[in-house]
Amino acid sequence: MCYEWFRLSYKSIRSSLPTPNPPPLFPSSSEEQSTLAPALSTLSCSPDEVASVIKRLRQDIASGPDGISRRMLKGTSQAICSPLSDIFNVSFSSGLVPLEWKSSRVIPVHKADDPSDVANYLPISLLSLVAKVQERIVHNAVMDHALSNELLSFSQYVFRPGSSTQEAILAATRDWHQTLECGGNVACVFLDLSKAFDSLPHSLILRSLSGIGVCGKLFDWFANYLTGRSQWVALKRVSSASVMVTSGVPGLNT
């Protein structure tokens, strides 16, 4: 069946990815972190924060496996923001993520060229919108921590507020012009990482979080969030069997 073909193809992409060298870099405990970065060990949220995130959900965002839609969340926001904040806070304080929120439905979207080649499809992972609300709260807290403590490289132009790839191009061309005007030479190497989001080993993600000060229960939450994730392919109302996800991260597109 075609949906099984997609499932096995996506599974083979993940399983063929090289293992990190040196071996996995999990910190030996949730308390092991960089001594250079201020600690971020706990997280909590208020009903107002939950309501704010729900209000800002993208209009075109699709519902996840649980069928809870954006319209449903926005229509009941006033009634559910308080109990949702309680659920999220229990998750944060325990370092545990509900198993149902770790499952995603994958929709293959044809990009271009030969439709019989699985490489020409973009796998879109659909997760529970309730889980994505919690993810956005975590994202905001970690990003605020990183920005306020200047933990992000100034050479990073994507995934940070107020920056863009256009600024990266301007910075690069400025440096090139200055070098050439001083009589120097310029050589450029352009790299494109294939399957970049799918190829991230979970151990390296956790190591990076530890490096910016994430520790304690919040580190445990991230470790649990990345553990036991699964996905299946849905195509024309037919679903494949589920497979475990051992690398990569779901996209944050709330």
Side-chain angles (χ1 to χ4, degrees):
M1 300 293 288
C2 57
Y3 56 88
E4 284 294 327
W5 176 59
F6 278 113
R7 180 184 73 88
L8 294 174
S9 298
Y10 295 149
K11 181 180 180 181
S12 66
I13 289 173
R14 292 183 182 276
S15 62
S16 65
L17 294 170
T19 54
N21 184 28
L25 297 175
F26 280 107
S28 59
S29 74
S30 61
E31 299 303 324
E32 181 185 334
Q33 67 166 92
S34 170
T35 57
L36 301 178
L40 179 63
S41 61
T42 60
L43 179 61
S44 63
C45 63
S46 67
D48 288 342
E49 289 179 90
V50 175
S52 177
V53 172
I54 292 176
K55 182 179 179 180
R56 288 174 171 77
L57 287 173
R58 287 185 11 249
Q59 296 225 2
D60 60 344
I61 193 168
S63 58
D66 56 15
I68 298 177
S69 66
R70 168 187 172 274
R71 181 177 181 181
M72 185 183 302
L73 286 178
K74 295 199 75 170
T76 60
S77 177
Q78 290 186 346
I80 66 174
C81 61
S82 182
L84 278 183
S85 69
D86 290 340
I87 294 172
F88 294 163
N89 287 333
V90 169
S91 174
F92 294 142
S93 63
S94 64
L96 299 174
V97 178
L99 190 60
E100 290 78 6
W101 293 356
K102 299 182 186 182
S103 181
S104 62
R105 184 173 73 248
V106 178
I107 307 295
V109 177
H110 183 238
K111 296 183 294 184
D113 301 327
D114 184 4
S116 65
D117 186 353
V118 70
N120 295 325
Y121 287 79
L122 179 67
I124 304 297
S125 295
L126 303 179
L127 298 96
S128 167
L129 290 189
V130 176
K132 294 184 77 65
V133 170
Q134 185 187 33
E135 291 171 11
R136 175 55 65 177
I137 291 170
V138 175
H139 170 272
N140 292 343
V142 173
M143 183 60 75
D144 288 346
H145 170 77
L147 292 175
S148 61
N149 292 289
E150 298 183 347
L151 299 174
L152 299 181
S153 169
F154 289 107
S155 297
Q156 178 179 327
Y157 291 93
V158 294
F159 302 117
R160 65 182 300 171
S163 294
S164 65
T165 53
Q166 287 85 353
E167 290 185 40
I169 294 172
L170 290 173
T173 52
R174 179 198 61 208
D175 292 343
W176 298 341
H177 288 158
Q178 290 176 349
T179 300
L180 293 173
E181 288 173 358
C182 294
N185 298 315
V186 175
C188 301
V189 177
F190 296 91
L191 302 176
D192 182 15
L193 299 179
S194 178
K195 307 295 181 183
F197 285 100
D198 289 337
S199 63
L200 276 172
H202 291 166
S203 57
L204 296 185
I205 297 173
L206 293 173
R207 187 72 171 193
S208 296
L209 288 168
S210 178
I212 63 170
V214 175
C215 60
K217 283 297 181 182
L218 185 55
F219 181 91
D220 294 342
W221 185 91
F222 274 109
N224 187 265
Y225 171 85
L226 293 170
T227 303
R229 303 198 70 89
S230 63
Q231 65 179 27
W232 74 92
V233 175
L235 187 63
K236 295 182 178 180
R237 299 185 179 181
V238 181
S239 298
S240 72
S242 181
V243 295
M244 300 306 295
V245 178
T246 56
S247 66
V249 291
L252 184 68
N253 58 351
T254 54

